[in-house]
């Protein structure tokens, strides 16, 4: 299954995949990195199978030192640009680790994924992949991927959001005691997913528990509507929560999208096939509905081209996945193509090197371009 592509030097495209069928038998799975041709998608270089463990889509990035880093299963790997392994490290918790963040100081921070085991933050040296400090145990489990600004790591737990700052003097992460928001409270909502940081606000959505197998449509678990949540980065008491569609059993498995240029926030209710955009007035801290599309089967991470105002999002319909380009200001549909896959993608697309992009949808990888 494909998870994501990342771009290197001009013309370089790297693809992260992982095995899946072994997990159905309770066996350990592996990941692999390929450098692929940017147009034909054929492999140019290919890594050996990378030791993984429990299956969950991992993550890949190119560090400023020029090397590739992968976290998959409960292992971290460093590879050169020819996909040769330079270092590997077994992570301490025998659960899948869902990717990582790279801090401004170059350190790599990752964590285990679990709805019951408290999240454990591991900080790795990018040169050796060895821990640079003792692991930090979070106050609650976390399903969502980590996010970071500068040397600060944000964690969406199963009921609250909190953060850790890197302490240079002590060479460790320190939890911020003054920034915390319990977004679950007394509600019947389920956990949140990945948080988007726009520099001033944190944005994410809840009701993340679902029954996804090959599509998110109808996969909601909680009987409540899923919500868009905003938390100020300067004061966690400045927060806002509002329903995305207002429909029961709403659910998602990914983050919203925030466009700073047009002051637009795009959220969705994947289980009920609703895509919703708001205009955010920062001075008034107010979200005003902008446009809405239903039915519209959005579930994946989205891609935004701020210079043109073009938003790329998936739409699962007629038992298949289509990818759509929308004008973010109006919701006007500018283009659509059916990819041929039967699964509703919930992973990571990326821009290409021109007027194109790469779409990973679990079972396949596609390049979409303007003819």
């Amino acid at each position: 299954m494909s998870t994501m592509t990342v771009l290197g030097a001009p013309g370089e495209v790297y693809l992260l995949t992982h095995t899946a069928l072994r997990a159905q038998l309770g066996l350990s799975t592996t990941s692999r990195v390929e450098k692929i041709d940017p147009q034909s998608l054929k492999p140019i270089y290919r890594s050996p199978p990378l030791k993984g463990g429990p299956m969950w889509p991992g993550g890949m990035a190119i560090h400023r030192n020029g090397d590739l880093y992968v976290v998959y299963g409960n292992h971290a790997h460093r590879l050169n640009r020819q996909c040769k392994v330079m270092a590997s490290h077994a992570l301490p918790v025998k659960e899948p680790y869902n990717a990582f963040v790279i801090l401004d100081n170059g350190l790599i921070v990752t964590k285990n994924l679990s709805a019951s085991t408290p999240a454990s933050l591991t900080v790795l040296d990018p040169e050796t992949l060895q821990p640079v400090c003792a692991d930090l145990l979070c106050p609650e489990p976390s399903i969502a991927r980590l996010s970071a600004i500068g040397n600060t790591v944000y964690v969406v737990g199963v009921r609250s959001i909190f953060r850790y700052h890197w302490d240079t003097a002590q060479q460790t992460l320190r939890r911020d005691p003054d920034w915390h928001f319990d977004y679950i409270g007394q509600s019947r909502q389920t956990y949140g997913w990945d948080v988007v940081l726009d520099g001033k606000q944190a944005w994410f959505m809840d009701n993340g528990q679902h029954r996804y197998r090959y599509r998110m449509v109808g996969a909601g678990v909680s009987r409540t509507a899923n919500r868009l949540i905003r938390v100020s980065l300067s004061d966690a008491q400045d927060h806002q929560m509002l329903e995305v569609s207002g429909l029961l059993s709403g659910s998602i498995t990914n983050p919203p999208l925030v466009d700073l240029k047009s002051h637009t926030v795009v959220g969705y209710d994947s289980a009920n096939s609703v895509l919703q955009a708001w205009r955010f007035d920062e001075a008034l801290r107010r979200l005003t509905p902008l446009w809405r599309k239903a039915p519209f089967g959005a579930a994946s991470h989205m891609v935004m081209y701020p210079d043109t105002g073009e938003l790329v999002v998936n739409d699962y319909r007629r038992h298949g996945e289509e990818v759509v380009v929308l004008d973010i200001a109006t919701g006007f549909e500018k283009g659509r193509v059916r990819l041929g896959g039967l699964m509703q993608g919930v992973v990571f697309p990326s821009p290409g090197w021109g007027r194109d992009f790469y779409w990973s949808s679990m079972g396949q990888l596609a390049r979409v371009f303007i003819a």
Side-chain angles (χ1 to χ4, degrees):
M1 289 187 167
S2 70
T3 301
M4 64 175 61
T5 53
V6 297
L7 304 184
E12 285 186 339
V13 181
Y14 292 89
L15 170 67
L16 176 64
T17 63
H18 65 86
T19 56
L21 293 179
R22 290 174 57 86
Q24 304 303 312
L25 302 174
L27 302 174
S28 181
T29 60
T30 60
S31 63
R32 188 189 296 272
V33 176
E34 295 175 343
K35 180 181 179 182
I36 61 175
D37 184 277
Q39 294 191 13
S40 71
L41 309 185
K42 293 181 178 179
I44 299 171
Y45 298 115
R46 176 179 287 170
S47 76
L50 304 174
K51 197 168 183 179
M55 188 190 78
W56 189 269
M60 173 173 61
I62 297 180
H63 197 278
R64 68 184 181 211
N65 64 17
D67 289 336
L68 291 150
Y69 289 82
V70 171
V71 170
Y72 174 79
N74 60 334
H75 287 78
H77 304 278
R78 178 185 181 185
L79 300 88
N80 64 19
R81 300 287 265 272
Q82 290 74 46
C83 300
K84 294 182 178 179
V85 179
M86 301 176 66
S88 296
H89 178 72
L91 297 164
V93 183
K94 291 184 179 180
E95 293 176 336
Y97 282 64
N98 55 341
F100 59 95
V101 289
I102 301 175
L103 304 185
D104 275 5
N105 57 22
L107 295 175
I108 295 168
V109 185
T110 184
K111 71 159 185 67
N112 57 309
L113 175 151
S114 176
S116 56
T117 305
S120 179
L121 300 179
T122 297
V123 186
L124 302 175
D125 180 275
E127 297 301 314
T128 64
L129 281 188
Q130 294 302 303
V132 299
C133 62
D135 289 351
L136 287 95
L137 198 64
C138 295
E140 60 190 79
S142 172
I143 296 290
R145 292 174 183 243
L146 299 173
S147 296
I149 287 184
N151 293 319
T152 298
V153 178
Y154 288 78
V155 184
V156 176
V158 294
R159 66 170 304 110
S160 63
I161 182 171
F162 44 96
R163 67 187 179 189
Y164 292 81
H165 304 293
W166 178 254
D167 185 328
T168 303
Q170 298 298 318
Q171 288 293 289
T172 190
L173 287 170
R174 301 286 187 192
R175 186 178 170 193
D176 186 337
D178 300 319
W179 198 89
H180 170 272
F181 174 53
D182 178 2
Y183 64 90
I184 295 292
Q186 301 302 311
S187 74
R188 297 171 59 193
Q189 304 296 112
T190 63
Y191 49 75
W193 280 89
D194 315 352
V195 60
V196 175
L197 307 173
D198 71 6
K200 295 182 179 179
Q201 312 291 333
W203 304 88
F204 63 103
M205 294 182 290
D206 65 4
N207 264 14
Q209 187 178 2
H210 52 72
R211 297 181 296 265
Y212 176 86
R213 288 296 179 267
Y214 68 95
R215 66 178 192 173
M216 276 295 298
V217 178
V221 172
S222 173
R223 288 290 296 163
T224 59
N226 73 307
R227 303 176 301 183
L228 174 71
I229 301 167
R230 177 191 65 80
V231 186
S232 169
L233 299 186
S234 59
D235 180 7
Q237 299 308 308
D238 175 7
H239 53 258
Q240 183 178 5
M241 298 183 287
L242 71 163
E243 295 179 347
V244 173
S245 71
L247 301 175
L248 299 181
S249 301
S251 185
I252 48 87
T253 188
N254 276 314
L257 180 137
V258 180
D259 177 35
L260 293 176
K261 188 173 182 179
S262 65
H263 307 287
T264 303
V265 181
V266 181
Y268 42 93
D269 173 358
S270 300
N272 289 304
S273 296
V274 176
L275 182 68
Q276 174 69 55
W278 297 266
R279 179 66 46 79
F280 178 57
D281 186 320
E282 185 176 333
L284 298 177
R285 298 291 198 272
R286 183 171 63 193
L287 285 158
T288 303
L290 191 59
W291 51 262
R292 178 187 179 106
K293 288 186 172 293
F296 201 100
S300 187
H301 285 247
M302 297 177 279
V303 175
M304 178 67 208
Y305 294 89
D307 292 341
T308 60
E310 292 169 324
L311 171 68
V312 183
V313 61
N314 62 338
D315 181 11
Y316 188 85
R317 64 175 188 167
R318 296 183 297 158
H319 307 291
E321 183 173 59
E322 300 175 4
V323 175
V324 187
V325 177
L326 302 174
D327 179 86
I328 195 167
T330 64
F332 174 76
E333 184 173 315
K334 303 179 71 173
R336 174 185 292 264
V337 64
R338 194 167 181 87
L339 299 183
L342 298 178
M343 299 184 72
Q344 185 176 18
V346 291
V347 282
F348 305 88
S350 77
W353 286 108
R355 291 282 282 162
D356 62 346
F357 54 87
Y358 300 96
W359 196 272
S360 292
S361 54
M362 306 292 281
Q364 66 176 18
L365 173 71
R367 175 177 176 259
V368 181
F369 59 94
I370 296 176

